[in-house]
């Protein structure tokens, strides 16, 4: 039996070349067309990868108001670089254009009112930029995730992601290192992996991986490695190897976190947060207390028993340095003293009566470098490790240890204060460090005017302090954990303080900061203490030597609290309580005080709002699309929301039309610019005919010959009545079938010059005739599916998506078989040993 070899080349001198050389995608014209599309396709791949990776930042930044500016920035930078590359600009100019487009889009998004023509930076732009960067620095240093997406932190996020686009593009295209471009995506994913308890999240990880694989695929398609054979229908080994490799990489990604120390519980990428510093349930010394108060779990439980008549505040750290951007602790490491068995700050206390108490504390799993103790400690005994204390603040900090699992006894002494004693304390302040006295620079007008108005007519420091406290606890203010989040002022800087005094709703850090700043403006030294409000009785007692059985109390993260301390000469630091419904107002600060202070949380035991509850309404508060931008007048710009809405609609339209566009592109690539019956056009036209029939519900069989498939198609009724099919469509099918059979099974060497080669319509015209005939005779539902969800495309996507899972399944099956064989070998060996 003699088999006729297939003909893979058309007439002419190139007849002896290999099929790969003459594939349509390898012809010079096709390569030129493909190069023209390369910048745009690669830009889309880079934008998909970076914007997909940015999805993982949800949870680092609260909500989704920050994502539209991020998406806009990424797309603008990627498209600008694609346009320059399409115009054949040099790689250096492409990167420079990327930087320029990043500057323009950031200016347009954040500084339109302070720029030239809305997008060119000016001197005013730089001034506003400094303001936003200070807000971003305040957010990073003073808050813990998820942070409110104020304008500063969103600006920094957009800038960083725009730079990542430039980096990934440079690695993938001019440097020809597409695999290394994944480092830019890893740099984005590392942030949520180390910050969020739920790690990067499923969608962020999946979209980043899809974008990265798209970059690799585009790089191979537009600049294939000559050392690697092309992957075709007859040589699917490369794709199979890639699928198996990808599947094994996915398995390793999911299993590796279980074996690597430093991962928390959970399954990557939805869990397993990378936490190289170990777990911590302690209080954030940077006084971002919102997360602790909103924590539903009540982590960091501390128990204590005291000899005092009421449970005391437990004080961890003193925050005394305020530079206008944020409060922060000044540890004064050079002046700290080691050893807390005896603590004598040398302060002169003029009060006639001192109150001494003993407190036994058990920190349990509370983890912090600072030790929670009642103020003011004289001595702390029973601690493990080395500890130091600050003579200026009496805060206790571990030298080589922390507070976890510590049990210790605190002796503390404080003057018995009365309103009369505080009123008489009018001597000038002496011996107090400047950082406790110096008011911040650039105080907003509302803060200064409020302080002057509230304290007007108050003659003494105590009267001013009481006026400020009473004002903040009045019915004008409400306690709310949610209003600062919704309003975008969940922090502790001056700009946040201005927002708080405008909205008149917040929680302890806002009230404490307001009183401390206004006190300094009125000449009273102030600082903020951070720790825990008095807790709840556990119902148990603790035996303390020399004190007998003392009532035990407990606090946890829901009791985290901040309160101001004001200095009075001869009496020392005196605590006040300006936060309504929180803590306990001291007796010396209760007189001339009218109860009020409406609150969204009535007591310390009910601070966690139900997840299903509606957040309380705040008078005058509005929830802007991007919290914080309202201060610069940007969020309300009339073009902002239409632009974002238009971009979203366009994106959805592109996604919905992608199967149709892909199908049209595939048809155009197959049929463009080749002779009607020669060379590879016959194969391409036949492939297009098979896909066209598949789209209209007539898939060719695997073992079906071309002639049988052609006959079945013409007699199926898809081209008209079975006995009277559409003439143009039927003739086109028969003609394409004859061309394919002639090409596939004809005599090697091509058709001799001058032979009778049929002439007539081109392959593209015949395919168009067949498509028109199929469309005209198809039902509306089938016609709609063929045009917008063509099965020939959807089936390919399904096979591509399932290939890695098939590879994983085969790998798992092979592993299971090997394990079974090993078990049988061990079992047979044991049986022989018993028998012998």
């Amino acid at each position: 039996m003699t088999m006729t070899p297939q003909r893979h080349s058309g007439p002419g001198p190139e007849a002896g070349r290999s099929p790969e050389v003459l594939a349509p995608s390898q012809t010079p014209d096709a390569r030129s067309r493909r190069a023209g599309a390369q910048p745009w396709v690669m830009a889309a791949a880079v934008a998909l990868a970076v914007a997909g990776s940015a999805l993982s930042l949800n949870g680092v930044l609260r909500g989704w108001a920050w994502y539209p500016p991020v998406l806009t920035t990424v797309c603008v930078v990627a498209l600008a670089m694609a346009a320059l590359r399409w115009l054949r600009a040099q790689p250096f100019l492409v990167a420079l254009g990327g930087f320029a487009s990043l500057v323009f889009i950031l200016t347009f998004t954040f500084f339109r009112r302070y720029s030239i023509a809305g997008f060119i930076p000016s001197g005013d732009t730089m001034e506003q930029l400094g303001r936003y960067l200070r807000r971003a620095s305040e957010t990073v240093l003073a808050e813990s995730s998820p942070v409110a997406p104020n304008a500063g932190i969103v600006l920094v996020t957009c800038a960083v992601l725009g730079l990542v686009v430039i980096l990934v593009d440079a690695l993938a295209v001019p440097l020809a290192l597409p695999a290394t471009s994944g480092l830019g995506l890893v740099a984005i994913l590392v942030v949520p992996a180390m910050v969020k308890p739920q790690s990067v999240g499923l969608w962020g990880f999946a979209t980043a991986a899809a974008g990265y694989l798209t970059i690799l695929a585009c790089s191979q398609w537009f600049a294939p490695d000559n050392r690697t054979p092309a992957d075709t229908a007859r040589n699917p080994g490369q794709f199979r190897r890639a699928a198996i490799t990808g599947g094994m990489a996915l398995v390793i990604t999911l299993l590796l976190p279980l074996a690597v120390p430093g991962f928390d519980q959970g399954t990557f990428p939805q869990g397993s947060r990378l936490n190289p510093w170990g777990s911590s349930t302690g209080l954030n010394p940077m006084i971002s207390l919102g997360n602790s108060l909103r924590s539903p779990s009540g982590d960091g439980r501390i128990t204590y028993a005291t000899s005092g008549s009421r449970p005391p505040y437990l004080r961890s750290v003193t925050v005394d340095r305020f530079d206008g951007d944020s409060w922060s602790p000044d540890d004064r490491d050079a002046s700290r003293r080691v050893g807390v068995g005896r603590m004598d700050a040398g302060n002169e206390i003029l009060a006639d009566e001192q109150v001494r108490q003993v407190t036994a504390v058990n920190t349990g799993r509370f983890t912090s470098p600072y030790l929670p103790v009642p103020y003011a400690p004289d001595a702390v005994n029973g601690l493990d490790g080395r500890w130091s204390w600050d003579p200026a603040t009496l805060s206790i900090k571990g030298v080589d240890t922390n507070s976890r699992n510590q049990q210790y006894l605190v002796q503390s002494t404080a003057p018995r204060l009365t309103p009369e004693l505080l009123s008489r304390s009018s001597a000038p302040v002496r011996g107090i460090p400047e950082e406790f006295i110096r008011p911040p620079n650039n105080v907003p007008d509302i803060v200064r005017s409020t302080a002057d108005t509230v304290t007007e007519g108050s003659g003494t420091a105590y009267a001013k302090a009481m006026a400020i406290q009473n004002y903040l606890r009045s019915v004008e203010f409400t306690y709310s954990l949610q209003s600062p989040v919704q309003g975008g002022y969940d922090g502790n800087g001056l700009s946040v303080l201005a927002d708080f005094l405008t909205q008149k709703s917040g929680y302890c850090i806002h009230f404490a900061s307001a009183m401390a700043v206004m006190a300094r403006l009125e000449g009273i030294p102030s600082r903020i203490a951070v720790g825990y409000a008095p807790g709840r009785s556990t119902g148990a007692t603790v035996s303390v030597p020399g004190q007998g059985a003392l009532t035990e109390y407990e606090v946890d993260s829901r009791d985290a609290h901040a309160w101001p301390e004001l200095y009075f000469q001869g009496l020392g630091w005196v605590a006040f309580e300006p936060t309504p419904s929180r803590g306990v107002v001291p007796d010396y600060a209760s007189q001339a005080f009218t109860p009020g202070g409406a609150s969204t949380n009535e007591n310390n035991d009910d601070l966690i709002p139900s997840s299903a509850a509606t957040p309380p309404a705040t008078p005058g508060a509005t929830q802007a699309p991007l919290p914080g931008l309202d201060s610069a007048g940007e969020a309300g710009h009339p073009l902002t929301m239409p632009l974002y809405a238009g971009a979203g609609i366009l994106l959805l339209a592109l996604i919905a039309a992608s199967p149709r566009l892909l199908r049209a592109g595939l048809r155009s690539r197959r049929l463009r610019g080749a002779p009607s019956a020669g060379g590879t056009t016959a194969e391409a036209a036949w492939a297009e005919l098979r896909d066209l029939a598949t789209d209209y519900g007539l898939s060719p069989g695997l073992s079906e010959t071309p002639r049988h498939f052609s006959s079945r198609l013409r007699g199926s009724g898809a081209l008209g009545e079975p006995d009277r099919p559409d003439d143009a469509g039927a003739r086109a099918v028969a003609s394409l079938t004859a061309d394919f059979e002639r090409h596939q099974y004809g005599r090697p060497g091509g058709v001799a010059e001058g032979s009778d080669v049929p002439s007539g319509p081109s392959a593209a015209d015949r395919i168009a005739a067949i498509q028109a005939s199929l469309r005209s005779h198809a039902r509306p539902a089938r016609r709609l599916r063929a045009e917008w969800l063509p099965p020939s495309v959807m089936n390919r996507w399904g096979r591509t998506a399932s290939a890695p899972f098939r590879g994983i399944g085969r790998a798992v099956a092979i592993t299971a078989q090997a394990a079974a064989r090993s078990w049988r070998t061990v079992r047979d060996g044991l049986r022989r040993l018993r028998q012998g």
Side-chain angles (χ1 to χ4, degrees):
M1 180 176 179
T2 304
M3 296 186 63
T4 303
Q6 298 179 358
R7 185 173 68 184
H8 297 289
S9 60
E14 294 181 342
R17 296 179 65 179
S18 65
E20 290 78 14
V21 173
L22 291 180
S25 62
Q26 296 297 324
T27 62
D29 289 343
R31 283 197 298 270
S32 177
R33 290 190 297 269
R34 197 167 66 181
Q38 188 265 355
W40 308 105
V41 177
M42 182 60 75
V46 172
L48 172 65
V50 177
S53 302
L55 292 173
S56 63
L57 296 177
N58 175 252
V60 178
L61 302 174
R62 185 177 293 114
W64 288 103
W66 56 272
Y67 193 72
V70 164
L71 183 61
T72 302
T73 302
V74 169
C75 292
V76 167
V77 174
L79 291 177
M81 298 179 71
L84 291 172
R85 189 167 288 120
W86 183 72
L87 295 173
R88 302 185 181 279
Q90 294 297 320
F92 171 75
L93 294 179
V94 173
L96 189 62
F99 282 109
S101 65
L102 177 59
V103 172
F104 291 155
I105 187 59
L106 292 179
T107 304
F108 176 79
T109 304
F110 296 94
F111 308 107
R112 282 193 293 276
R113 294 189 177 183
Y114 308 96
S115 60
I116 302 172
F119 66 94
I120 301 175
S122 64
D124 292 339
T125 304
M126 303 311 296
E127 181 180 349
Q128 292 297 319
L129 175 63
R131 176 190 173 194
Y132 280 0
L133 291 180
R134 287 193 296 271
R135 174 66 74 90
S137 174
E138 169 190 330
T139 302
V140 172
L141 293 177
E143 300 185 30
S144 55
S145 65
V147 300
N150 58 70
I153 199 66
V154 176
L155 168 65
V156 171
T157 302
C158 291
V160 170
L161 292 177
L163 293 175
V164 171
V165 171
I166 299 173
L167 171 64
V168 172
D169 180 270
L171 290 172
V173 184
L175 298 180
L177 298 171
T180 311
S181 66
L183 294 176
L185 307 180
V186 170
I188 302 174
L189 297 176
V190 161
V191 176
M194 299 180 70
V195 173
K196 290 167 53 180
Q198 65 272 33
S199 191
V200 298
L202 179 60
W203 287 109
F205 175 77
T207 314
Y212 179 60
L213 293 177
T214 306
I215 292 175
L216 296 181
C218 292
S219 300
Q220 177 63 19
W221 175 253
F222 292 108
D225 190 343
N226 294 328
R227 297 169 297 179
T228 304
D231 190 12
T232 65
R234 295 190 179 92
N235 179 28
Q238 184 178 355
F239 177 78
R240 202 160 42 235
R241 289 191 296 273
I244 294 176
T245 302
M248 294 305 296
L250 180 61
V251 172
I252 293 174
T253 301
L254 296 174
L255 297 180
L256 188 61
L258 303 178
V260 176
F263 277 87
D264 289 349
Q265 62 183 359
T267 302
F268 185 83
Q270 193 62 34
S272 301
R273 176 174 65 95
L274 181 62
N275 186 7
W277 300 283
S279 60
S280 175
T281 57
L283 189 65
N284 185 347
M286 308 306 291
I287 65 173
S288 177
L289 305 180
N291 280 351
S292 296
L293 294 172
R294 285 183 284 264
S295 172
S297 59
D299 294 329
R301 179 176 181 266
I302 301 173
T303 60
Y304 64 95
T306 180
S307 62
S309 58
R310 61 173 63 179
Y313 284 67
L314 293 182
R315 189 169 171 275
S316 283
V317 62
T318 300
V319 181
D320 47 58
R321 185 176 57 195
F322 187 58
D323 57 7
D325 290 329
S326 62
W327 290 90
S328 61
D330 187 348
D331 288 330
R332 287 174 284 272
D333 291 331
S335 61
R336 296 190 75 88
R337 302 178 186 177
V338 178
V340 293
R342 178 178 175 81
M343 301 168 59
D344 183 8
N347 293 331
E348 183 182 4
I349 303 299
L350 302 181
D352 297 332
E353 186 178 356
Q354 305 286 322
V355 178
R356 292 179 173 82
Q357 64 180 1
V358 175
T359 307
V361 184
N362 184 347
T363 59
R365 300 183 62 184
F366 172 84
T367 306
S368 172
Y370 299 93
L371 198 69
V373 296
Y375 190 76
D378 293 327
V380 182
N381 298 292
L383 289 170
D384 295 329
R386 299 171 64 224
W387 295 82
S388 64
W389 58 285
D390 180 7
T393 64
L394 298 182
S395 66
I396 302 172
K397 185 178 180 182
V399 176
D400 55 5
T401 186
N402 59 46
S403 63
R404 187 181 181 90
N405 293 325
Q406 296 281 353
Q407 299 183 38
Y408 49 94
L409 200 66
V410 183
Q411 299 178 25
S412 55
T413 303
R416 185 178 296 280
L417 300 174
T418 63
E420 294 77 16
L421 187 61
L422 289 166
S423 297
R424 292 196 303 268
S425 178
S426 57
V429 174
R430 303 187 308 272
I432 296 297
E434 177 65 21
E435 58 262 28
F436 297 114
I437 303 173
R438 182 177 58 249
N441 298 322
N442 303 321
V443 177
D445 292 338
I446 186 175
V447 180
R448 191 177 299 275
S449 61
T450 301
D452 293 340
T453 302
V454 168
T455 60
E456 185 178 4
S458 300
T460 64
Y462 172 69
K464 293 179 179 180
M466 287 298 299
I468 297 173
Q469 175 185 272
N470 293 347
Y471 170 69
L472 293 174
R473 293 184 65 89
S474 68
V475 294
E476 295 186 41
F477 286 84
T478 59
Y479 181 94
S480 173
L481 297 174
Q482 304 302 326
S483 294
V485 176
Q486 298 170 358
Y489 56 93
D490 191 11
N492 63 317
L494 276 179
S495 59
V496 168
L497 185 56
D499 293 336
F500 164 70
L501 290 177
T502 301
Q503 305 296 341
K504 292 182 170 56
S505 182
Y507 53 92
C508 56
I509 182 56
H510 304 99
F511 289 93
S513 297
M515 184 166 183
V517 171
M518 287 193 287
R520 287 195 186 183
L521 292 175
E522 297 302 319
I524 308 174
S526 66
R527 65 191 188 188
I528 296 177
V530 180
Y532 293 92
R536 301 158 293 280
S537 173
T538 64
T541 58
V542 176
S543 296
V544 176
Q547 301 295 326
L550 304 179
T551 302
E552 185 183 60
Y553 299 88
E554 66 174 358
V555 294
D556 55 40
S557 60
R558 293 167 295 185
D559 301 294
H561 193 45
W563 61 94
E565 293 180 340
L566 277 55
Y567 189 82
F568 292 83
Q569 187 64 36
L571 300 177
W573 290 98
V574 178
F576 288 83
E577 185 52 88
T579 306
S581 82
R582 289 284 288 177
V584 178
V585 180
D587 293 338
Y588 55 81
S590 298
Q591 296 185 13
F593 161 64
T594 302
S599 171
T600 59
N601 300 102
E602 293 302 328
N603 53 64
N604 292 346
D605 298 326
D606 189 24
L607 289 174
I608 310 305
S610 171
S611 59
T614 302
T618 303
T622 58
Q623 189 168 359
L626 183 60
L629 284 180
D630 54 330
S631 59
E634 303 296 340
H637 195 281
L639 294 180
T640 301
M641 290 312 297
L643 284 175
Y644 290 152
I649 293 173
L650 179 60
L651 179 61
L652 292 176
L654 288 175
I655 293 174
S658 58
R660 179 187 177 97
L661 296 175
L662 183 61
R663 184 70 182 88
L666 179 62
R667 179 181 298 117
S668 177
R669 188 166 67 246
R670 282 170 171 170
L671 304 179
R672 189 186 301 133
S676 63
T680 56
T681 304
E683 289 181 325
W686 181 253
E688 177 60 27
L689 174 62
R690 288 165 60 94
D691 282 354
L692 200 55
T694 300
D695 294 341
Y696 284 90
L698 288 169
S699 302
L702 295 176
S703 60
E704 195 171 24
T705 65
R707 185 168 301 182
H708 184 274
F709 169 66
S710 173
S711 176
R712 181 166 66 88
L713 176 59
R714 285 176 290 169
S716 64
L719 299 172
E721 296 295 332
D723 54 344
R724 287 189 307 167
D726 180 86
D727 288 342
R731 284 198 305 270
V733 170
S735 176
L736 291 178
T737 305
D739 289 348
F740 180 71
E741 288 180 335
R742 185 181 301 110
H743 167 75
Q744 196 78 353
Y745 308 115
R747 184 170 51 192
V751 180
E753 185 178 353
S755 62
D756 186 17
V757 178
S759 61
S762 67
D765 293 338
R766 286 177 283 173
I767 286 294
I770 297 170
Q771 184 180 13
S773 181
L774 289 170
R775 184 187 296 116
S776 63
H777 294 94
R779 293 190 300 272
R782 174 162 290 178
R783 184 165 59 245
L784 183 65
R785 182 187 180 192
E787 293 180 359
W788 291 97
L789 294 173
S792 59
V793 171
M794 306 306 293
N795 293 342
R796 284 191 180 94
W797 283 355
R799 288 193 297 270
T800 302
S802 63
F805 297 98
R806 291 197 299 270
I808 295 173
R810 286 195 294 271
V812 172
I814 293 172
T815 303
Q817 292 173 1
R821 285 195 297 269
S822 300
W823 165 247
R824 286 195 295 270
T825 302
V826 173
R827 183 192 58 191
D828 294 342
L830 293 174
R831 184 182 295 117
R832 285 193 296 271
L833 286 174
R834 287 197 300 268
Q835 292 174 354

